[in-house]
Amino acid sequence: MELKHKEKEALWQTFFEQHAYLKETGGWHLSLERLLGEALTPVAFPPKESWKELTKEGLPLLQHEDLLPCVAAAAAGQLDGALSLVLGSQDIETPEEMHQSLTDLRAFAANQEAATALFTALLQQDDAAIRRLAAEHELQETSLRLFGWAVIDALVPAEAKDAAVWEEAGWTRNYCPVCGRQPVMAVLRKEQHGRARFLVCDGCHTVWPYARVGCVYCGNQDLKKMKILEPEGEEAMRLDVCEECHAYLKTYQGCKQINQAAPDGPDECEEIYRHDWATLHLDLAGQEQGLVKRGSALLPSTPGPDEGEEK
């Protein structure tokens, strides 16, 4: 169910009224997403009909040798313009520390070789290379990751992020079929015979289907080593916890106040809860329990894509 612009604005307004502490952070992220989405042209992907064949061995689209350098070069070429747009926009209020960090990043963007190396490292999940680039150019690693993935996200065609595409292609692995990142959260959707689980990428924001039961990170299937935490006052979300690897997965289970879901599709509240920053309070709850967060685009990559893969 695709929401119209005014409907999205009204939905976010209601959310911020209920979660005032997220208004500044959320407003910045939403403005960044909108600005880059309007300014950057998505990269031309291979025909959709070929995606199933291209990914059948488990290699994500953006890690193919033909597409990776193309996307990395396109992102590097547009990095300076994207930064100029954000820093010069009157529609986005960037906190002072972040503003300085992005200003420093502009000098880095002028070096096309270094910028291309950054996007190549992001797509290959090469944490050592990202750390090295941050140190060599005296940049904040978090800023490199945040803005770098924001640019990549804007360059990925919307069609490639659609769960229906990957459901049809039969992709059921525990990492993103487009960029290869492990998921940052999950959503449960109503279907004719119960609810199905879909995973959400925090890098390119692709959604894809996955097995209903089990840990998406380590592959643990023993329900005795799995538990659910339901934070008080947060009926839409829960934490699915694996006691084997001590990781948690934020899971959207539906919004009771606004629940006009189609029988086989997402409800309108999912527009909000697919954003990782919208549930930062749940991360705090997870940390208080000594649990590990995975999948965030701001964090180093988790273990390789084959670990915990559904068999």
Side-chain angles (χ1 to χ4, degrees), residues 73-91:
Q78 299 192 61
L79 180 58
D80 183 67
L83 286 163
S84 299
L85 178 67
V86 172
L87 290 169
S89 174
Q90 300 297 315
D91 297 329

Side-chain angles (χ1 to χ4, degrees), residues 172-184:
T172 57
R173 300 172 187 264
N174 72 333
Y175 53 96
C176 177
V178 175
C179 74
R181 293 194 62 85
Q182 287 195 311
V184 74

Side-chain angles (χ1 to χ4, degrees), residues 67-170:
L67 197 51
L68 190 153
C70 199
V71 174
Q78 299 192 61
L79 180 58
D80 183 67
L83 286 163
S84 299
L85 178 67
V86 172
L87 290 169
S89 174
Q90 300 297 315
D91 297 329
I92 179 170
E93 295 184 13
T94 303
E96 185 177 346
E97 184 176 348
M98 176 61 75
H99 191 280
Q100 183 58 54
S101 183
L102 295 183
T103 300
D104 294 341
L105 189 53
R106 279 205 68 188
F108 170 83
N111 184 333
Q112 284 295 289
E113 183 178 353
T116 301
L118 167 65
F119 286 106
T120 300
L122 287 172
L123 292 171
Q124 293 179 332
Q125 301 186 56
D126 187 343
D127 294 317
I130 297 169
R131 292 191 192 100
R132 185 169 60 253
L133 284 165
E136 287 177 357
H137 297 272
E138 299 182 341
L139 298 169
Q140 291 186 1
E141 183 181 337
T142 301
S143 297
L144 283 178
R145 292 180 180 277
L146 187 157
F147 205 85
W149 277 110
V151 170
I152 292 172
D153 179 33
L155 294 180
V156 174
E159 185 178 40
K161 305 177 186 185
D162 188 355
V165 171
W166 300 109
E167 199 165 18
E168 184 177 344

Side-chain angles (χ1 to χ4, degrees), residues 58 172-175 210 216-219 305-311:
T172 57
R173 300 172 187 264
N174 72 333
Y175 53 96
Y210 192 70
V216 304
Y217 298 121
C218 73
D306 290 330
E307 182 172 328
E309 177 181 330
E310 182 188 355
K311 305 296 183 183

Side-chain angles (χ1 to χ4, degrees), residues 6-41:
K6 288 186 177 180
E7 292 174 329
K8 287 184 179 181
E9 285 190 343
L11 197 61
W12 281 113
Q13 180 61 35
T14 299
F15 178 77
F16 288 137
E17 287 174 358
Q18 297 171 349
H19 304 80
Y21 58 93
L22 286 172
K23 187 170 184 178
E24 183 177 356
T25 298
W28 190 85
H29 278 277
L30 290 173
S31 295
L32 176 65
E33 182 180 322
R34 177 180 56 78
L35 284 172
L36 296 188
E38 292 174 352
L40 304 186
T41 302

Side-chain angles (χ1 to χ4, degrees), residues 223 225-229 239-243 289 291:
L223 294 182
K225 295 182 178 180
M226 300 286 296
K227 66 180 181 181
I228 293 174
L229 295 180
L239 300 183
D240 289 350
V241 178
C242 176
E243 296 180 334
Q289 296 286 327
L291 301 172

